[in-house]
CSV table of all heavy atoms in Angstrom, one decimal:
chain,number,residue,atom,x,y,z
A,1,SER,N,220.5,-6.6,257.6
A,1,SER,CA,220.1,-7.8,256.8
A,1,SER,C,221.3,-8.5,256.2
A,1,SER,O,221.2,-9.7,255.8
A,1,SER,CB,219.2,-7.4,255.6
A,1,SER,OG,219.9,-6.6,254.7
A,2,SER,N,222.5,-7.8,256.2
A,2,SER,CA,223.6,-8.5,255.6
A,2,SER,C,225.0,-8.2,256.3
A,2,SER,O,226.0,-8.9,255.9
A,2,SER,CB,223.8,-8.0,254.1
A,2,SER,OG,224.0,-6.6,254.0
A,3,GLN,N,225.0,-7.3,257.2
A,3,GLN,CA,226.3,-7.1,257.9
A,3,GLN,C,226.1,-6.3,259.2
A,3,GLN,O,225.0,-6.0,259.6
A,3,GLN,CB,227.3,-6.3,257.0
A,3,GLN,CG,226.9,-4.9,256.6
A,3,GLN,CD,227.9,-4.3,255.6
A,3,GLN,OE1,227.7,-4.6,254.4
A,3,GLN,NE2,228.9,-3.6,256.0
A,4,ASN,N,227.3,-6.2,259.9
A,4,ASN,CA,227.3,-5.6,261.2
A,4,ASN,C,227.3,-4.0,261.1
A,4,ASN,O,227.6,-3.4,260.1
A,4,ASN,CB,228.5,-6.0,262.0
A,4,ASN,CG,228.5,-7.5,262.3
A,4,ASN,OD1,227.5,-8.1,262.3
A,4,ASN,ND2,229.7,-8.1,262.4
A,5,VAL,N,226.8,-3.4,262.3
A,5,VAL,CA,226.7,-2.0,262.4
A,5,VAL,C,227.4,-1.5,263.7
A,5,VAL,O,227.1,-2.2,264.7
A,5,VAL,CB,225.3,-1.5,262.3
A,5,VAL,CG1,225.2,0.0,262.5
A,5,VAL,CG2,224.6,-1.9,261.0
A,6,VAL,N,228.1,-0.5,263.7
A,6,VAL,CA,228.7,0.1,264.9
A,6,VAL,C,228.0,1.5,265.0
A,6,VAL,O,228.0,2.3,264.1
A,6,VAL,CB,230.2,0.3,264.8
A,6,VAL,CG1,230.7,1.1,266.0
A,6,VAL,CG2,230.9,-1.1,264.8
A,7,ILE,N,227.4,1.7,266.2
A,7,ILE,CA,226.7,3.0,266.4
A,7,ILE,C,227.4,3.8,267.5
A,7,ILE,O,227.6,3.3,268.7
A,7,ILE,CB,225.2,2.8,266.8
A,7,ILE,CG1,224.5,2.0,265.8
A,7,ILE,CG2,224.5,4.1,267.1
A,7,ILE,CD1,223.0,1.7,266.1
A,8,VAL,N,227.9,5.0,267.2
A,8,VAL,CA,228.5,5.9,268.2
A,8,VAL,C,227.4,6.7,268.9
A,8,VAL,O,226.6,7.3,268.2
A,8,VAL,CB,229.5,6.8,267.5
A,8,VAL,CG1,230.1,7.7,268.6
A,8,VAL,CG2,230.6,6.0,266.8
A,9,CYS,N,227.3,6.6,270.2
A,9,CYS,CA,226.3,7.3,271.0
A,9,CYS,C,226.8,8.3,271.9
A,9,CYS,O,227.9,8.2,272.5
A,9,CYS,CB,225.6,6.2,271.9
A,9,CYS,SG,225.1,4.7,271.1
A,10,HIS,N,226.1,9.5,272.0
A,10,HIS,CA,226.6,10.6,272.8
A,10,HIS,C,226.8,10.3,274.2
A,10,HIS,O,227.7,10.8,274.9
A,10,HIS,CB,225.6,11.7,272.6
A,10,HIS,CG,225.9,13.0,273.3
A,10,HIS,ND1,227.0,13.7,273.1
A,10,HIS,CD2,225.2,13.7,274.3
A,10,HIS,CE1,227.1,14.8,273.8
A,10,HIS,NE2,226.0,14.8,274.6
A,11,ASN,N,225.9,9.4,274.8
A,11,ASN,CA,226.0,9.0,276.2
A,11,ASN,C,225.2,7.7,276.3
A,11,ASN,O,224.5,7.2,275.4
A,11,ASN,CB,225.5,10.1,277.2
A,11,ASN,CG,224.1,10.6,276.8
A,11,ASN,OD1,223.3,9.9,276.4
A,11,ASN,ND2,223.9,11.9,277.0
A,12,LEU,N,225.1,7.2,277.6
A,12,LEU,CA,224.4,5.9,277.8
A,12,LEU,C,222.9,6.1,277.6
A,12,LEU,O,222.2,5.1,277.2
A,12,LEU,CB,224.7,5.4,279.2
A,12,LEU,CG,226.1,4.8,279.4
A,12,LEU,CD1,226.4,4.5,280.9
A,12,LEU,CD2,226.3,3.5,278.6
A,13,ALA,N,222.4,7.3,278.0
A,13,ALA,CA,221.0,7.5,277.8
A,13,ALA,C,220.6,7.4,276.3
A,13,ALA,O,219.5,6.9,275.9
A,13,ALA,CB,220.6,8.9,278.3
A,14,VAL,N,221.4,7.9,275.4
A,14,VAL,CA,221.2,7.8,274.0
A,14,VAL,C,221.3,6.4,273.5
A,14,VAL,O,220.4,5.9,272.8
A,14,VAL,CB,222.2,8.7,273.2
A,14,VAL,CG1,222.1,8.4,271.7
A,14,VAL,CG2,221.9,10.2,273.5
A,15,GLN,N,222.2,5.6,274.1
A,15,GLN,CA,222.3,4.2,273.7
A,15,GLN,C,221.1,3.5,274.1
A,15,GLN,O,220.5,2.7,273.4
A,15,GLN,CB,223.5,3.6,274.4
A,15,GLN,CG,223.6,2.1,274.1
A,15,GLN,CD,224.8,1.4,274.8
A,15,GLN,OE1,225.7,2.0,275.2
A,15,GLN,NE2,224.8,0.1,274.9
A,16,HIS,N,220.6,3.7,275.3
A,16,HIS,CA,219.3,3.1,275.8
A,16,HIS,C,218.2,3.5,274.9
A,16,HIS,O,217.3,2.6,274.5
A,16,HIS,CB,219.1,3.5,277.3
A,16,HIS,CG,217.8,2.9,277.8
A,16,HIS,ND1,217.7,1.6,278.1
A,16,HIS,CD2,216.6,3.5,278.1
A,16,HIS,CE1,216.5,1.3,278.6
A,16,HIS,NE2,215.8,2.4,278.6
A,17,HIS,N,218.1,4.7,274.5
A,17,HIS,CA,217.0,5.2,273.6
A,17,HIS,C,217.1,4.5,272.3
A,17,HIS,O,216.0,4.0,271.8
A,17,HIS,CB,217.1,6.7,273.5
A,17,HIS,CG,216.3,7.2,272.3
A,17,HIS,ND1,214.9,7.3,272.3
A,17,HIS,CD2,216.7,7.7,271.1
A,17,HIS,CE1,214.5,7.8,271.2
A,17,HIS,NE2,215.5,8.1,270.4
A,18,ILE,N,218.3,4.3,271.7
A,18,ILE,CA,218.4,3.6,270.5
A,18,ILE,C,218.0,2.2,270.6
A,18,ILE,O,217.3,1.6,269.7
A,18,ILE,CB,219.9,3.7,270.0
A,18,ILE,CG1,220.3,5.2,269.7
A,18,ILE,CG2,220.1,2.9,268.7
A,18,ILE,CD1,221.8,5.4,269.5
A,19,THR,N,218.4,1.5,271.6
A,19,THR,CA,218.1,0.1,271.9
A,19,THR,C,216.5,0.0,271.9
A,19,THR,O,216.0,-1.0,271.3
A,19,THR,CB,218.7,-0.4,273.2
A,19,THR,OG1,220.1,-0.2,273.1
A,19,THR,CG2,218.4,-1.9,273.4
A,20,GLU,N,215.9,0.8,272.6
A,20,GLU,CA,214.4,0.8,272.7
A,20,GLU,C,213.8,1.1,271.3
A,20,GLU,O,212.8,0.4,270.9
A,20,GLU,CB,213.9,1.8,273.7
A,20,GLU,CG,214.2,1.4,275.2
A,20,GLU,CD,213.5,2.2,276.2
A,20,GLU,OE1,213.2,3.4,275.8
A,20,GLU,OE2,213.2,1.8,277.3
A,21,LEU,N,214.3,2.0,270.6
A,21,LEU,CA,213.8,2.4,269.3
A,21,LEU,C,213.9,1.3,268.3
A,21,LEU,O,213.0,1.0,267.6
A,21,LEU,CB,214.5,3.7,268.8
A,21,LEU,CG,214.0,4.4,267.6
A,21,LEU,CD1,212.6,4.9,267.8
A,21,LEU,CD2,214.9,5.5,267.2
A,22,LEU,N,215.1,0.6,268.3
A,22,LEU,CA,215.3,-0.5,267.4
A,22,LEU,C,214.4,-1.7,267.7
A,22,LEU,O,213.8,-2.3,266.8
A,22,LEU,CB,216.7,-0.9,267.4
A,22,LEU,CG,217.7,0.1,266.9
A,22,LEU,CD1,219.1,-0.4,266.9
A,22,LEU,CD2,217.4,0.6,265.5
A,23,ALA,N,214.2,-1.9,269.0
A,23,ALA,CA,213.3,-3.0,269.5
A,23,ALA,C,211.9,-2.8,269.1
A,23,ALA,O,211.2,-3.7,268.6
A,23,ALA,CB,213.4,-3.2,271.0
A,24,ALA,N,211.5,-1.5,269.2
A,24,ALA,CA,210.1,-1.1,268.8
A,24,ALA,C,209.8,-1.3,267.4
A,24,ALA,O,208.7,-1.5,266.9
A,24,ALA,CB,209.8,0.3,269.3
A,25,ASN,N,210.9,-1.2,266.6
A,25,ASN,CA,210.8,-1.4,265.1
A,25,ASN,C,211.2,-2.8,264.7
A,25,ASN,O,211.4,-3.0,263.5
A,25,ASN,CB,211.7,-0.3,264.4
A,25,ASN,CG,211.0,1.0,264.4
A,25,ASN,OD1,210.2,1.3,263.5
A,25,ASN,ND2,211.4,1.8,265.4
A,26,GLN,N,211.3,-3.7,265.7
A,26,GLN,CA,211.5,-5.1,265.4
A,26,GLN,C,212.8,-5.3,264.6
A,26,GLN,O,212.9,-6.2,263.7
A,26,GLN,CB,210.3,-5.8,264.7
A,26,GLN,CG,209.1,-5.7,265.6
A,26,GLN,CD,207.9,-6.3,264.9
A,26,GLN,OE1,207.7,-6.2,263.7
A,26,GLN,NE2,207.1,-7.1,265.6
A,27,ILE,N,213.9,-4.6,265.0
A,27,ILE,CA,215.2,-4.8,264.3
A,27,ILE,C,216.1,-5.6,265.2
A,27,ILE,O,216.2,-5.3,266.4
A,27,ILE,CB,215.8,-3.4,264.0
A,27,ILE,CG1,214.9,-2.7,263.0
A,27,ILE,CG2,217.2,-3.5,263.6
A,27,ILE,CD1,215.4,-1.3,262.7
A,28,ASP,N,216.6,-6.6,264.7
A,28,ASP,CA,217.5,-7.5,265.4
A,28,ASP,C,218.8,-6.8,265.9
A,28,ASP,O,219.5,-6.2,265.0
A,28,ASP,CB,217.9,-8.7,264.6
A,28,ASP,CG,218.8,-9.7,265.2
A,28,ASP,OD1,219.0,-9.6,266.5
A,28,ASP,OD2,219.3,-10.6,264.5
A,29,GLY,N,219.1,-6.7,267.2
A,29,GLY,CA,220.2,-6.0,267.7
A,29,GLY,C,221.5,-6.8,267.7
A,29,GLY,O,222.5,-6.3,268.2
A,30,SER,N,221.5,-8.1,267.3
A,30,SER,CA,222.6,-9.0,267.5
A,30,SER,C,223.8,-8.6,266.6
A,30,SER,O,224.9,-9.0,266.9
A,30,SER,CB,222.2,-10.4,267.2
A,30,SER,OG,221.8,-10.6,265.8
A,31,ARG,N,223.5,-7.8,265.6
A,31,ARG,CA,224.6,-7.4,264.7
A,31,ARG,C,225.0,-5.9,264.9
A,31,ARG,O,225.7,-5.3,264.1
A,31,ARG,CB,224.2,-7.5,263.2
A,31,ARG,CG,224.2,-8.9,262.7
A,31,ARG,CD,223.9,-9.0,261.2
A,31,ARG,NE,224.6,-10.1,260.6
A,31,ARG,CZ,224.5,-10.5,259.3
A,31,ARG,NH1,223.7,-9.8,258.5
A,31,ARG,NH2,225.1,-11.5,258.9
A,32,ILE,N,224.6,-5.4,266.1
A,32,ILE,CA,224.9,-4.0,266.4
A,32,ILE,C,225.8,-3.9,267.6
A,32,ILE,O,225.6,-4.5,268.6
A,32,ILE,CB,223.6,-3.2,266.7
A,32,ILE,CG1,222.7,-3.2,265.4
A,32,ILE,CG2,223.9,-1.8,267.1
A,32,ILE,CD1,221.3,-2.6,265.6
A,33,GLN,N,226.8,-3.1,267.5
A,33,GLN,CA,227.7,-2.8,268.6
A,33,GLN,C,227.7,-1.3,268.9
A,33,GLN,O,227.5,-0.5,267.9
A,33,GLN,CB,229.2,-3.2,268.3
A,33,GLN,CG,229.3,-4.7,268.2
A,33,GLN,CD,230.7,-5.0,267.7
A,33,GLN,OE1,231.0,-5.2,266.5
A,33,GLN,NE2,231.7,-5.1,268.7
A,34,PHE,N,227.8,-0.9,270.2
A,34,PHE,CA,227.8,0.5,270.5
A,34,PHE,C,229.1,1.0,271.0
A,34,PHE,O,229.8,0.3,271.7
A,34,PHE,CB,226.7,0.7,271.6
A,34,PHE,CG,225.3,0.5,271.2
A,34,PHE,CD1,224.7,-0.7,271.4
A,34,PHE,CD2,224.6,1.5,270.5
A,34,PHE,CE1,223.4,-1.0,271.0
A,34,PHE,CE2,223.3,1.2,270.1
A,34,PHE,CZ,222.7,0.0,270.3
A,35,VAL,N,229.4,2.3,270.7
A,35,VAL,CA,230.5,3.0,271.3
A,35,VAL,C,230.0,4.2,271.9
A,35,VAL,O,229.2,5.0,271.3
A,35,VAL,CB,231.6,3.4,270.2
A,35,VAL,CG1,232.6,4.3,270.7
A,35,VAL,CG2,232.2,2.1,269.6
A,36,VAL,N,230.3,4.5,273.2
A,36,VAL,CA,229.7,5.6,273.9
A,36,VAL,C,230.8,6.7,274.1
A,36,VAL,O,231.8,6.4,274.7
A,36,VAL,CB,229.1,5.2,275.2
A,36,VAL,CG1,228.5,6.4,276.0
A,36,VAL,CG2,228.1,4.1,275.0
């Protein structure tokens, strides 16, 4: 709601899972960056 987030993911499958989870909860992903 007010700043960016960096999410460290164990692997690409976890990143995909997070992306789906956030979308399902209607969370805007434009402020999120991933590190795998």
